[in-house]
Amino acid sequence: CLCLVFASTLHGGAKAAVTDPATGPFISDSKITDNTLELKCIAQNLSDPTANITWLQGGPDGTELNYAITSVGDAAAGTLKLTATTSLNVSGTGAVAKGTNYTCKVERGAGTLWQAVVTGDPTTRLLQLAPAREKLYYGDTVVLACPNYGTNSDPDTLPADPLPVPSPLVEWQFNYTDAWTGYLPSGATVQDGILTIENLADIHDGEYTCQATNVYYTNYAFKVVQVEMAPSTVAPTTTPNEGNLSNTGAIVGGVIGGLIGAILLGVLAYFGYQHYTKSQKGTTKYSAAASDAV
């Protein structure tokens, strides 16, 4: 399915589309049969009751095609919505030529808007939608898309050229070589053409191929997935700075000095005590008693 929204863009010096992000026109396509494709164009949030929508072949000034139109909402409230559908054969009897342009044009008082598609080969681009970072880590969930991107060289913007229709069928395979088997490793699933790989591990390392096929051609795009360890979050080991070393030295020096001082005091006290004891003994030996004769 196509979902196209452009502003006024230039391609090759000429306008490629004139659209409004709130109004459109928005084009989508769907298969009716194997040969027949339906194109739907929507213009919404219109406030002009005279607004009109048409399908043309060959650009905004091309030949008007047969189409069906429906309208809902109220222009006075700015909710008028116009839908125009047309169909074409893309293969079999009456098939249109490859490269045929189909343009949806919306005419209103505020100006004319238009958008186009073209019958042709799918033009695939492989994009990593998540995670936003480039590197993939163990345990991540990666989401890959393979959109139809026209010929625009910038895969991060919508193309200036009309996108090719029919929209391709998108399939995926892991480590594709010669035979297409659709093999994917455990944890990888596909929904609406989007590949999701959960809880990345070593088994997911390899190349993923998207295969885009429509009635005209099959194109391929590739993405290499390489899982690695996430950066460490352990805090770095810190080393003491000079100030800390100086403080530590001062503390150690003070402790050692205190111990030496205590030892010296102890020695002095011991010798002092010994001297005192001897002096006391000498005094007792040579002093006269009170009763001795003089």
Side-chain angles (χ1 to χ4, degrees):
C1 174
L2 297 172
C3 295
L4 309 182
V5 186
F6 293 81
S8 177
T9 58
L10 292 176
H11 182 68
K15 284 186 179 178
V18 181
T19 71
D20 181 277
T23 302
F26 308 99
I27 298 176
S28 62
D29 72 325
S30 59
K31 185 185 290 186
I32 299 175
T33 69
D34 287 341
N35 296 333
T36 308
L37 188 71
E38 180 182 82
L39 297 177
K40 179 186 290 185
C41 181
I42 295 175
Q44 60 190 20
N45 300 320
L46 294 166
S47 57
D48 185 350
T50 65
N52 187 40
I53 187 170
T54 56
W55 273 106
L56 305 109
Q57 183 174 314
D61 299 318
T63 303
E64 188 169 323
L65 299 167
N66 293 324
Y67 61 92
I69 185 170
T70 60
S71 67
V72 295
D74 182 11
T79 61
L80 178 62
K81 177 181 175 181
L82 302 178
T83 302
T85 57
T86 189
S87 61
L88 59 144
N89 281 4
V90 290
S91 62
T93 304
V96 300
K98 195 174 177 180
T100 302
N101 178 293
Y102 287 82
T103 300
C104 175
K105 182 165 72 172
V106 179
E107 296 172 290
R108 54 182 188 153
T112 299
L113 304 171
W114 60 274
Q115 182 58 275
V117 293
V118 63
T119 57
D121 301 345
T123 52
T124 55
R125 300 287 174 84
L126 205 151
L127 304 178
Q128 180 179 311
L129 303 183
R133 55 183 151 77
E134 186 174 331
K135 292 187 176 180
L136 300 174
Y137 304 138
Y138 287 101
D140 274 351
T141 293
V142 63
V143 181
L144 303 177
C146 193
N148 207 12
Y149 259 101
T151 60
N152 193 333
S153 60
D154 183 358
D156 296 322
T157 61
L158 289 169
D161 283 349
L163 292 192
V165 292
S167 292
L169 170 67
V170 174
E171 300 173 288
W172 293 84
Q173 183 167 318
F174 179 60
N175 287 340
Y176 169 59
T177 53
D178 296 324
W180 187 266
T181 64
Y183 168 76
L184 292 170
S186 175
T189 57
V190 179
Q191 184 173 0
D192 297 328
I194 304 293
L195 173 66
T196 301
I197 312 170
E198 297 182 333
N199 195 21
L200 284 179
D202 290 332
I203 63 169
H204 301 123
D205 268 1
E207 185 177 75
Y208 292 82
T209 301
C210 72
Q211 174 182 264
T213 305
N214 68 11
V215 296
Y216 299 113
Y217 197 65
T218 296
N219 262 326
Y220 299 88
F222 312 91
K223 170 72 175 181
V224 174
V225 168
Q226 185 173 3
V227 190
E228 57 185 81
M229 294 291 294
S232 175
T233 56
V234 178
T237 303
T238 57
T239 56
N241 56 34
E242 278 187 23
N244 289 337
L245 290 172
S246 299
N247 292 339
T248 301
I251 293 171
V252 172
V255 171
I256 293 174
L259 288 173
I260 294 173
I263 291 170
L264 289 174
L265 286 174
V267 171
L268 291 173
Y270 173 78
F271 283 107
Y273 174 75
Q274 291 296 321
H275 177 72
Y276 172 77
T277 302
K278 288 180 180 179
S279 64
Q280 287 297 312
K281 287 180 179 180
T283 302
T284 304
K285 183 178 182 180
Y286 296 109
S287 61
S291 57
D292 288 347
V294 178

